[in-house]
Each structure stands twice: as C-alpha cells, then as structure tokens.
Amino acid sequence: MKLQRKNRLRALSLGAVALTGALTLTACGSDDTTGGASGDTGAKTPAAGSIDCGDAKGQLLADGSSAQKNAIDAWVKQYQSVCKDVVINYKGSGSGAGITAFTQGQVAFAGSDSALKPEEVTASKEICSDGQGIDLPMVGGPIAVGYNVPGVDSLVLDAKTLALIFDSKITNWNDKAIAALNPDAELPDLKIQAFHRSDESGTTDNFTKYLIAAAPDNWKYEGGKAWQAKGGQSAQGSSGVAQGVKETKGAISYMELSYAKDGISTVDVKTDAAEPVKATVENATKAISEAQVVGTGKDLALKLNYKPSAEGAYPITLVTYEIVCDKGNKADTLPATKSFLTYIASEDGQALLSEAGYAPMPEEIITKVRTTISELS
C-alpha cells in the first residue's frame, strides 16, 4: 500500500506539472477504482483515501445529469466500500428531471449540466429552510459528437456544418459542405440520421449554447434543456443517443465523452485554431480553464467559453453541477450528503475523473467548492 501511495503521489505530481496554466487542475492521474477497505486493517485504496464517513448513514437519494452518471458510479463504488452504513442511489434521469426532483424535495442533491435558473432558485427556497439551492461545479468534460459512417474513420466538422446537420438542412453524408472539410475522406451516399435527446438535458443546453455562440447565422433557436430543432430522431439520456449511433448507419449525435465508446468514432471540431481539435479530456480542460465564476454568494455557477481559439482547446464542453441547499438541508441526509460531496470534491475523488473520461475541476474552482461544502447546513 505504501508503494501504491508513493506511485500515485509521483503520478499526481507529474500530472500537476503537465497541466500548470492559468488555472492549475487537480491531479489528473487515475486510480484503481476496484478497491475498498483492505481487510481489517482500516487501510484504503488510494482513491478512497480521503473518505471520512463521519456520522453518515442511511439512504441517500439523488437524480439528474446522465452525463455524469459514469463518474457518480465510480465515486459511489469507492465511497460505499468505506462508508458501509450509507446506500447512495443516483438515478441519472437527466438534468431537468433532477432539478425537478430537487425542488420538490424528493432528493438530497441533484446533478445538472446547466446552472439553476432564477425561477428554479426561487422554487428551491420552498424546500431549503432559510436557504436556497446552489450550484457546485464538480465534473467537467467534452461533449463528443459521435458518428457511425462506414469507411470514415476520421471526420472534421465545424460549427456551421454541425448546425446545418442537426437542423436537418444537410441530410446526406456526401454533401459538398462535409466534403470540403474532409477532402481525403470517401464519404458515402448515405442519409444522415441525427439523434438528439428526448428528455430535458443539460448536455443539450450546452451543445446548443455552442451552436448559438459559434454559428449564430445558422442556428436560430434560443437554446435550453429541451431540444427545439425540427426533424431527427430522439432517444432518452446519454446512453440512449449513444446506443442509437452505435446501432444506426449514418447516425450522428452529441454525448458526454465517456459514452462515446465501443466503436463510436468522434468528430474533430474545426475552430479558429490552426488544426481541428479532438474530443479529449485534456483538450476540454484547456477550454474549461477559461471559465469564469458568475454565481453570487455561495453559488459557483460558471460561464464557459464556447469559442476558444487556443490550439488544442476543444470548444464543446460542459460542467456538471451538484445542486444542494446552502442552508436547510434535511437533517437525516445532511451528514451523508456532506460526507459524499466532500469526497468527490477531494483530490482523490477528482483524480478518478480522468480515468472515467472526465475532466477534473480547475484547482482555483474546486478549492471554492470544498469550502462551500464544509459550510453546508
């Protein structure tokens, strides 16, 4: 175990050096997610090292963002291996469903890929005694554009072309606009099957915010969690659209990077930089590091930059927030809520994200998150 800890610290140190910039990220080294308590000695795996169960016990219900579901699952596995008196049930029904469940008092916290709207903050005051719901940025990452086009292993698209595809104005894969961006590709005469989310989704909100910012002349919709463009096919959750792409020739959709696997190729996005940018955790980190905290008080809502021009900065990113009451959390779930959130915001908790296909929060931001969690009541 000492050797594991030594190796892990060395990896974290190297990761910190590699990612030093305007905002330094927490360690991006990854840890083994399969461990837990080690025998009866009380020793823990490195990823579980910062877990303090305190008085946590009972069942903790949560719901929301499906984009962060894979991260939550990894965290819960580690947390419950140590805090055996707590059972965490995170549904991952989508950001809209999570916020609704939170404002109705059905869950201890919610996950959302979009910050609370003013009317949602107002609604939260009904269940947060003498307080309100606040946004805690916890998970970052790229929104990958996955596609299934036989014979095309590499594909470059820009914001304008993506807008026209998802607005059903480019309908075939050998369209001249796609061909111009991919002169070396053998594009088939194949109908485009564009999938979008059927549920209210923060991933949809962030994807359309990118289209609005980067292709305003071609995407005339106002944006939001609900899909507004006409045409295309719909599916529930990130897993649903990913499955649609995997099973449908000619398909394309947007999804959190961790869902773009098992044979799903991802688009390289052309920006103002010299080279198209791949959807990777590292490239998303370069864009997220430019985010600004725009929330007031204890709320830590961020404003993302959807038009980065730096080399290697991936423009279609999201940040998932854990939404919780700043004051007035239910007494029976507050200890478990604080304990779990403290762990996932810790250095060890954030270190799990890279392995799961997500980006840790910049140190300057996650430090504020940790302070805010410690003050929850």
Side-chain angles (χ1 to χ4, degrees):
M1 186 59 64
K2 289 182 178 180
L3 180 59
Q4 284 183 319
R5 172 62 68 176
K6 181 177 180 180
N7 289 341
R8 181 182 169 277
L9 290 176
R10 181 176 181 271
L12 292 177
S13 176
L14 291 173
V17 172
L19 290 174
T20 298
L23 290 173
T24 303
L25 291 183
T26 53
C28 287
S30 59
D31 294 290
D32 183 1
T33 61
T34 61
S38 179
D40 297 323
T41 65
K44 305 177 181 69
T45 62
S50 3
I51 297 176
D52 181 1
C53 304
D55 297 326
K57 60 182 178 179
Q59 187 175 39
L60 194 62
L61 299 179
D63 196 3
S65 165
S66 65
Q68 71 164 357
K69 182 68 164 58
N70 292 335
I72 290 286
D73 287 347
W75 280 328
V76 167
K77 183 176 183 178
Q78 288 294 341
Y79 182 82
Q80 291 186 165
S81 72
V82 177
C83 301
K84 299 184 183 299
D85 292 332
V86 181
V87 175
I88 300 174
N89 183 356
Y90 182 83
K91 293 183 179 179
S93 302
S95 297
I99 290 175
T100 297
F102 177 75
T103 56
Q104 292 179 351
Q106 299 171 0
V107 294
F109 71 91
S112 176
D113 306 321
S114 298
L116 290 168
K117 295 179 179 178
E119 60 269 26
E120 293 167 340
V121 173
T122 299
S124 73
K125 294 179 180 180
E126 297 295 321
I127 57 100
C128 299
S129 179
D130 297 323
Q132 66 177 51
I134 56 173
D135 302 286
L136 302 178
M138 198 72 73
V139 181
I143 300 174
V145 180
Y147 69 95
N148 180 350
V149 182
V152 180
D153 298 326
S154 178
L155 184 68
V156 175
L157 297 175
D158 58 12
K160 176 181 178 180
T161 308
L162 283 167
L164 294 174
I165 287 173
F166 281 94
D167 199 21
S168 301
K169 292 180 179 177
I170 291 180
T171 59
N172 202 286
W173 280 109
N174 64 357
D175 187 275
K176 61 182 181 180
I178 300 176
L181 291 166
N182 299 273
D184 297 327
E186 295 184 8
L187 299 169
D189 182 6
L190 178 65
K191 181 180 179 181
I192 294 174
Q193 307 282 353
F195 281 80
H196 58 266
R197 292 280 291 272
S198 60
D199 54 316
E200 288 201 352
S201 161
T203 310
T204 293
D205 190 15
N206 282 278
F207 180 66
T208 54
K209 281 179 179 176
Y210 159 72
L211 295 177
I212 291 168
D217 294 336
N218 305 103
W219 192 260
K220 299 297 186 179
Y221 305 96
E222 63 181 15
K225 294 185 182 72
W227 185 258
Q228 297 169 339
K230 306 301 181 182
Q233 301 188 50
S234 64
Q236 173 80 23
S238 297
S239 59
V241 294
Q243 191 69 16
V245 171
K246 185 177 179 180
E247 296 178 348
T248 308
K249 289 183 179 180
I252 186 171
S253 189
Y254 55 94
M255 64 200 74
E256 205 283 326
L257 180 62
S258 68
Y259 290 88
K261 54 187 178 181
D262 298 332
I264 297 178
S265 300
T266 59
V267 169
D268 295 346
V269 179
K270 181 175 174 56
T271 66
D272 289 337
E275 297 295 331
V277 186
K278 294 185 179 298
T280 68
V281 168
E282 293 78 15
N283 290 344
T285 290
K286 293 178 183 178
I288 293 173
S289 67
E290 299 180 15
Q292 298 177 337
V293 176
V294 293
T296 58
K298 293 184 178 180
D299 186 87
L300 297 175
L302 302 176
K303 181 179 180 180
L304 299 174
N305 179 11
Y306 295 102
K307 295 179 66 179
S309 58
E311 294 296 327
Y314 186 77
I316 321 176
T317 59
L318 62 75
V319 168
T320 299
Y321 302 94
E322 311 312 329
I323 295 171
V324 67
C325 297
D326 58 354
K327 297 179 182 179
N329 290 280
K330 294 179 181 179
D332 58 337
T333 57
L334 178 60
T337 299
K338 289 186 69 171
S339 173
F340 181 66
L341 293 182
T342 296
Y343 164 58
I344 68 178
S346 71
E347 180 180 310
D348 288 332
Q350 289 285 296
L352 281 180
L353 291 176
S354 296
E355 182 175 314
Y358 299 90
M361 285 295 97
E363 184 66 26
E364 188 171 297
I365 293 172
I366 202 65
T367 297
K368 295 177 181 178
V369 171
R370 292 166 185 157
T371 298
T372 302
I373 292 172
S374 71
E375 297 171 349
L376 296 179
S377 62

